[in-house]
Amino acid sequence: MPGWLDEKAIPENRIIQRGTFFPPIESAPFFRQYRPPAELPVETVIAHLEMAVIQVGRQLDRWRQEQTAATLAEVRAETVNGRSELLALWERAVYCEAKAEILKETLTADRRKAAENNAKTGEETEEKYREFSADAIALIVGDDRVHVGSI
């Protein structure tokens, strides 16, 4: 659907880098795909993206240390449309973690009417984005996110 999102409304792209192994995260695709609330200051969104890069990166540090490749892009993986699955999963994990944090913040700071659509801003939606992030991380490390334990 061309024109459904005004490209002029997308703030200038910012690059967030954590070390040299993981690729940089760009803010413009996050604004396009995950559409944070317009009333949130851009700096707040960038701060959430930075924290998400830290959180996801730390969850992947042990796995990263087991890799022989110098960068995530060099880790052997299947591709989708010519792009490494691992790169796509890294981005998804970070973006979903950031979206969950933004939802948590807007849930507590939001002063809109009670009739607001909770499917967009409710706690369940926040948790769903956290699950998406956890799923992406599990796929990167080659683990099943759901484990069956002894009863």
Side-chain angles (χ1 to χ4, degrees):
M1 290 191 300
W4 68 271
L5 180 63
D6 183 5
E7 283 295 316
K8 294 177 204 158
I10 304 293
E12 182 179 334
N13 191 38
R14 301 271 286 276
I15 305 296
I16 300 155
Q17 181 69 52
R18 180 184 189 264
T20 57
F21 183 79
F22 294 105
I25 290 292
E26 297 188 36
S27 65
F30 179 75
F31 277 92
R32 274 188 210 96
Q33 296 171 24
Y34 292 85
R35 302 180 70 183
E39 62 272 9
L40 223 69
V42 171
E43 291 305 317
T44 300
V45 174
I46 298 302
H48 284 300
L49 280 168
E50 289 171 347
M51 290 300 107
V53 166
I54 292 168
Q55 290 172 352
V56 172
R58 284 189 172 195
Q59 290 179 62
L60 290 170
D61 275 345
R62 182 174 290 142
W63 174 83
R64 177 184 56 87
Q65 291 169 358
E66 297 169 357
Q67 304 309 305
T68 57
T71 67
L72 184 63
E74 295 170 1
V75 175
R76 191 172 178 177
E78 290 294 329
T79 60
V80 176
N81 289 332
R83 182 175 181 219
S84 164
E85 288 180 350
L86 295 175
L87 296 178
L89 289 166
W90 156 254
E91 189 175 272
R92 178 163 173 82
V94 170
Y95 286 166
C96 287
E97 185 64 36
K99 179 72 174 187
E101 282 299 312
I102 287 169
L103 286 168
K104 184 166 77 173
E105 179 168 314
T106 55
L107 185 65
T108 58
D110 201 356
R111 291 177 171 71
R112 286 182 270 177
K113 296 184 282 282
E116 174 64 35
N117 182 356
N118 282 334
K120 289 183 180 179
T121 61
E123 285 182 49
E124 292 171 359
T125 306
E126 172 197 336
E127 287 307 311
K128 193 48 85 177
Y129 276 102
R130 288 206 195 285
E131 287 177 27
F132 294 156
S133 180
D135 289 344
I137 291 167
L139 287 169
I140 289 171
V141 301
D143 193 15
D144 294 325
R145 197 171 76 78
V146 178
H147 296 279
V148 177
S150 308
I151 297 181

